[in-house]
Amino acid sequence: MNLSHELREAVFHHQSGRLDTAHLIYAKILSRFPHNPDALHLSGLIAHQRGDLKRARERISRAIGHNPFNPTYHNNMGAVARAEGEITEAENCYRQALCLDDGYAEAWYNLGTIHHTAGRREGAISCYRKAVHHDPCYVDAWNNLAAALNETGAFEAAMACCQKIFALDATYAPAYNNLAHALKETGRQEGAVRSYQRALSLAPDQWEYHNNIANLYMEMGTIQAAIDHYQKALSGEPDSAIAHNGLGTALLTQGHFTQALSCFTRSVDLGFHNGSGYHNLGNTYMAMGQYTEALSCYEKSIKYDPGRPESYLNMGIANREMGRHQKAYRCYLRAIRIDPGHEKAYSHIVHYLMQSCDWQPLTSYSKKLDRMTRSALEAGKTPMEMPFLNLARTDDLHLNHALARSWSAEIETRCPPFERDGCDTRSVGNGWRTKKRCITIGYLSNNFKNHPTAHLTAGIFACHDRERFQVHCYSYGEDDQSSYRKRIRRTCDGFIDIRDMDHLAAAKRIADDGVDILIDMVGYMKGNRIQIPAFRPAPIQVRWLGMAGTTGARFFDYLLTHSIVTPERHASHYTESLVYLPDCYQVNDRDQRMSTEVITRTEMRLPAEAFVFCCFSTHYKITKELFGIWMHLLKRTANSVLWLLKGNGRTMENLVREARSHGVGRDRIVFAEKISKERHLRRLQHADLALDTLAVNGAATTSDALWSGVPVITMPGRHFASRMSSCILSAVGMQEMVVH
């Protein structure tokens, strides 16, 4: 048998995957012709395929030594160098192959992958284009070209490449994956879903495709489908840090905090040590109220990615929750230094400045936030400004509604209604009737504790007619062991703690309990879990108290209100149908206790004979203009003082400085410590007149003053939040205290 025939036979076995047979023939040839370059090269190629890189290098180097003009030898030497991690050498090898044969498509492809891996996408695209120019049927090159074009944002060109591939091979799964990516990025989500599904039908075990379609489902708000595909991705690749991170994100969105924590921890353990991994882990600790742990994660996130504004922002929020307001503010400022257009950071800065009564910078920041909010709405996006902050900043009913509606629309997409007892809970016909002896009402709140909401409502649960109604309370707030919580537990028929349930599980519990009317008492206030009613666990869902305005949510049928706070002419600015209560939108506890302790003016640091103006509203409700009016009152009223609630140090410093700018001394501003509700009601009797805030009125604050016998003066504004005190005063027959 001659050498040429032996080589052809060895190559036949080699290409057929019979490496051992091919190796024996190459060895036989080399025993007779030790310098034969083809046998050296091909035996080196087998060594490479077997992972013996040292032998592969030795054999192919010898082949090149005997025939330095064969481009294939240089191309495969590049593959060996690349496998060894010698990337520069590999690139030189591919370039040498192309010097010998400029039309060598595989060498162009390999050089393109070097550029691609190094992030040199333009160089990669150029090489891939030359590869397909010299070999128009080179499917892998077309596919990599599509991938690189996607990465540069040339999505239409990428889609054209995919169509070229389908003409060559309609079963080439990677091309459907690349096509899906291009469709997703150009807003054609349904087409992207179909393309990912086609890729998975051709390669069902390809975990990356499951991960990619899961990412798309996350963007579409189809969270459960995303979870299913992340789990399939992890079945194929249990050690994928990216899939663990994606699954954690989906679970966190659904309120599965413990499971999300496990996923993010695993992701980081697997080497996902970038800013995103620790940031997401921090977000989970934040959601669980573990702020120290959250801060630690955000610090690690910033260590790996100093340019991540979200980590500075959330570090600020964690500091705020821990009472470190100045640190929080510095973190917010750092976030916008990194990203001057970071809407969410501006939202928190404005909230901080309002709470700190730091009015000089507030004006410019608030105007900037307003432009951002309106711009987002005009672009059809959900603004980052929080709905309640918007209510506090402006009484523009149209803007209040548009912003709240955008937030709720996003939640409606992520938390679709589920089937309840075989019936779709999205709508209830006029003929709906309960077959139970009585109607079950469920109250949903995180404030069944020592909180103003509980101060007002603690007595209402016992007042329901038990012949007609059964009352359940669903609590997702802390158990503070307060008398308010204990009383509510004692006076309702069922008190269910749902803190440890995710949103969907909590909704299903409400549905399983047969709740007919669910009343949400939080809205978009702090710590809300508005996702629970979004799943439509009850046939009728109602908003009441907690948030003085619309949620913009279609999953709430009604808002319990009063004609003073929401006149009929305002109805178009509310997504909920308005149900008017006869006397007032607010309830008060008729059995509210007042301390019998003697509290003196001296103890409260109030002058014995002074006329005492007071305002115990939270500081964010005080505006510069209103404070100026108060200072004018002090100057016009001899021997008078203004009694305010004590705030953080910065807040009090700002108020005192502003007072001095009006010519009012520090001695005429008295700050009151926070004390128990019973003692607070008693000390309030030392006030002569309560001054209401205007942008957001006092609510429980106004009721407290009246309960203590202190008159309140208010001026109604244009939205619910600025008309609450007018409603309360009218209910007690003090309309003369509502001025215009």
Side-chain angles (χ1 to χ4, degrees):
M1 185 181 295
N2 61 37
L3 175 62
S4 178
H5 188 277
E6 284 182 298
L7 279 172
R8 283 198 300 272
E9 181 184 6
V11 169
F12 173 75
H13 289 297
H14 194 164
Q15 292 175 338
S16 301
R18 294 185 289 274
L19 300 186
D20 290 343
T21 303
H23 175 71
L24 288 173
I25 298 174
Y26 292 144
K28 181 179 176 182
I29 293 171
L30 289 171
S31 67
R32 303 199 320 271
F33 305 101
H35 303 301
N36 183 273
D38 287 335
L40 286 168
H41 166 247
L42 293 168
S43 66
L45 199 56
I46 286 181
H48 182 206
Q49 290 172 281
R50 288 174 166 175
D52 187 351
L53 299 179
K54 183 177 180 181
R55 179 177 289 274
R57 173 177 284 279
E58 182 267 331
R59 290 294 172 91
I60 298 175
S61 294
R62 285 173 59 195
I64 291 171
H66 291 294
N67 182 6
F69 303 109
N70 189 317
T72 304
Y73 298 174
H74 290 282
N75 183 63
N76 287 342
M77 189 65 203
V80 172
R82 191 170 187 175
E84 292 176 325
E86 301 294 337
I87 305 303
T88 302
E89 181 187 350
E91 183 175 348
N92 291 335
C93 289
Y94 298 140
R95 291 189 184 281
Q96 183 61 38
L98 290 167
C99 285
L100 295 168
D101 181 2
D102 185 65
Y104 192 177
E106 186 178 343
W108 281 118
Y109 171 81
N110 288 336
L111 183 58
T113 62
I114 291 284
H115 284 303
H116 206 159
T117 303
R120 301 189 295 267
R121 294 184 182 89
E122 294 302 329
I125 289 170
S126 175
C127 291
Y128 294 145
R129 288 194 186 281
K130 289 178 179 176
V132 297
H133 171 75
H134 294 295
D135 183 358
C137 296
Y138 200 158
V139 172
D140 288 344
W142 279 114
N143 187 65
N144 278 22
L145 177 57
L149 289 167
N150 270 336
E151 291 164 15
T152 59
F155 302 117
E156 297 297 332
M159 286 188 271
C161 291
C162 293
Q163 295 304 326
K164 293 271 190 182
I165 295 170
F166 299 145
L168 296 167
D169 182 358
T171 64
Y172 189 78
Y176 288 100
N177 181 65
N178 275 325
L179 176 61
H181 179 78
L183 290 168
K184 179 185 76 169
E185 293 300 320
T186 52
R188 288 168 270 190
Q189 293 179 324
E190 294 301 328
V193 168
R194 289 193 294 272
S195 289
Y196 280 134
Q197 289 173 338
R198 176 64 172 148
L200 284 166
S201 71
L202 294 167
D205 297 328
Q206 189 64 258
W207 73 268
E208 291 98 335
Y209 301 168
H210 283 291
N211 192 75
N212 291 345
I213 195 172
N215 291 340
L216 174 58
Y217 278 133
M218 281 293 291
E219 289 183 20
M220 296 172 68
T222 314
I223 308 301
Q224 189 54 54
I227 289 172
D228 293 342
H229 280 283
Y230 283 130
Q231 289 172 335
K232 288 176 182 176
L234 288 168
S235 293
E237 182 50 66
D239 291 335
S240 169
I242 294 172
H244 277 291
N245 186 68
L247 179 57
T249 303
L251 292 168
L252 181 59
T253 300
Q254 292 288 62
H256 300 274
F257 301 137
T258 303
Q259 292 169 267
L261 187 68
S262 176
C263 287
F264 290 133
T265 301
R266 180 70 176 139
S267 174
V268 169
D269 287 344
L270 287 167
F272 206 59
H273 289 173
N274 58 15
S276 179
Y278 281 111
H279 178 81
N280 290 340
L281 191 58
N283 289 349
T284 311
Y285 280 121
M286 277 275 283
M288 299 171 75
Q290 298 179 30
Y291 303 118
T292 301
E293 292 82 356
L295 278 174
S296 175
C297 290
Y298 294 136
E299 286 166 357
K300 290 176 182 174
S301 172
I302 290 167
K303 176 183 176 182
Y304 284 100
D305 186 0
R308 175 176 285 272
E310 293 83 2
S311 292
Y312 281 105
L313 170 63
N314 287 7
M315 184 182 289
I317 296 170
N319 275 304
R320 182 197 70 197
E321 293 300 318
M322 298 172 75
R324 303 168 181 169
H325 301 287
Q326 279 295 99
K327 283 188 176 180
Y329 183 46
R330 288 195 292 271
C331 289
Y332 303 151
L333 292 176
R334 185 67 181 270
I336 63 167
R337 278 200 294 272
I338 296 170
D339 179 5
H342 201 291
E343 283 183 65
K344 196 171 182 180
Y346 272 95
S347 184
H348 283 277
I349 286 171
V350 167
H351 183 264
Y352 167 82
L353 293 173
M354 290 173 69
Q355 189 67 29
S356 299
C357 299
D358 200 348
W359 298 314
Q360 184 174 357
L362 174 61
T363 301
S364 61
Y365 279 113
S366 191
K367 286 180 179 178
K368 176 76 171 178
L369 178 60
D370 199 60
R371 288 194 296 270
M372 289 177 165
T373 294
R374 293 178 186 276
S375 177
L377 288 170
E378 289 169 4
K381 298 177 181 178
T382 302
M384 290 293 102
E385 182 178 2
M386 299 160 281
F388 180 74
L389 177 62
N390 189 254
L391 290 174
R393 282 200 317 112
T394 176
D395 59 3
D396 182 333
L397 282 163
H398 177 76
L399 182 61
N400 297 156
H401 179 236
L403 186 144
R405 176 69 202 127
S406 68
W407 274 57
S408 291
E410 187 171 313
I411 290 171
E412 288 163 7
T413 301
R414 294 180 180 277
C415 305
F418 60 85
E419 298 293 320
R420 180 186 184 223
D421 297 333
C423 298
D424 191 336
T425 59
R426 276 173 285 196
S427 61
V428 181
N430 292 330
W432 176 81
R433 293 289 186 274
T434 179
K435 296 180 180 179
K436 298 181 295 182
R437 181 178 65 85
C438 60
I439 293 171
T440 299
I441 300 176
Y443 289 92
L444 177 66
S445 178
N446 61 345
N447 293 319
F448 296 124
K449 57 183 180 180
N450 184 10
H451 182 275
T453 299
H455 299 168
L456 293 171
T457 62
I460 198 174
F461 306 103
C463 295
H464 292 69
D465 180 355
R466 288 317 198 265
E467 289 298 314
R468 300 173 60 201
F469 300 101
Q470 186 179 61
V471 179
H472 288 181
C473 288
Y474 295 89
S475 171
Y476 55 89
E478 65 172 319
D479 180 359
D480 63 353
Q481 298 292 314
S482 66
S483 61
Y484 299 99
R485 188 178 183 89
K486 290 175 181 176
R487 182 180 173 196
I488 293 169
R489 290 192 73 123
R490 188 173 64 251
T491 56
C492 64
D493 300 299
F495 190 95
I496 301 93
D497 192 332
I498 57 173
R499 274 179 301 174
D500 295 330
M501 298 182 192
D502 60 71
H503 306 317
L504 180 58
K508 288 183 175 178
R509 173 60 192 268
I510 292 168
D512 290 344
D513 288 345
V515 170
D516 301 301
I517 303 173
L518 180 65
I519 301 177
D520 175 82
M521 302 169 68
V522 181
Y524 278 113
M525 298 294 282
K526 182 179 178 181
N528 76 82
R529 290 180 63 184
I530 203 169
Q531 296 89 345
I532 296 173
F535 284 112
R536 268 288 184 179
I540 296 175
Q541 301 196 155
V542 180
R543 269 280 308 117
W544 180 52
L545 291 181
M547 178 184 176
T550 184
T551 59
R554 291 179 178 153
F555 47 83
F556 288 122
D557 305 296
Y558 304 105
L559 172 68
L560 296 183
T561 183
H562 187 270
S563 58
I564 291 179
V565 289
T566 53
E568 287 187 12
R569 66 181 183 275
H570 291 177
S572 62
H573 299 293
Y574 287 78
T575 303
E576 309 89 344
S577 295
L578 304 180
V579 175
Y580 290 121
L581 296 170
D583 300 305
C584 188
Y585 80 96
Q586 187 193 82
V587 67
N588 267 243
D589 178 13
R590 64 189 180 191
D591 297 320
Q592 185 165 222
R593 296 176 181 177
M594 184 184 295
S595 173
T596 58
E597 176 186 355
V598 175
I599 299 176
T600 66
R601 280 198 169 196
T602 301
E603 185 181 349
M604 295 295 104
R605 299 190 302 278
L606 293 169
E609 302 299 326
F611 185 93
V612 178
F613 293 106
C614 79
C615 179
F616 282 91
S617 287
T618 311
H619 300 97
Y620 76 84
K621 299 181 181 182
I622 304 173
T623 63
K624 180 180 177 66
E625 294 73 20
L626 179 63
F627 194 74
I629 293 170
W630 292 352
M631 295 303 98
H632 181 68
L633 284 174
L634 287 180
K635 289 194 290 185
R636 288 284 299 272
T637 308
N639 192 28
S640 63
V641 296
L642 177 61
W643 199 13
L644 301 174
L645 193 64
K646 185 178 181 180
N648 66 63
R650 183 68 178 270
T651 303
M652 293 187 292
E653 288 173 11
N654 288 333
L655 289 172
V656 169
R657 183 172 60 251
E658 185 71 15
R660 285 173 175 156
S661 74
H662 286 273
V664 175
R666 168 69 180 84
D667 59 322
R668 300 188 68 184
I669 309 292
V670 180
F671 291 105
E673 300 283 347
K674 288 186 178 181
I675 57 177
S676 70
K677 182 63 177 292
E678 291 85 355
R679 296 188 74 232
H680 173 62
L681 292 174
R682 176 61 67 188
R683 75 174 173 186
L684 257 173
Q685 294 181 326
H686 289 299
D688 295 295
L689 179 62
L691 305 173
D692 194 21
T693 46
L694 302 183
V696 179
N697 291 169
T701 309
T702 296
S703 295
D704 288 346
L706 295 173
W707 197 267
S708 298
V710 181
V712 179
I713 188 166
T714 190
M715 184 174 74
R718 295 191 299 173
H719 67 346
F720 191 135
S722 57
R723 301 172 70 87
M724 296 185 291
S725 293
S726 300
C727 186
I728 297 166
L729 286 164
S730 296
V732 297
M734 297 181 69
Q735 291 91 336
E736 71 275 11
M737 301 302 288
V738 180
V739 301
H740 299 278

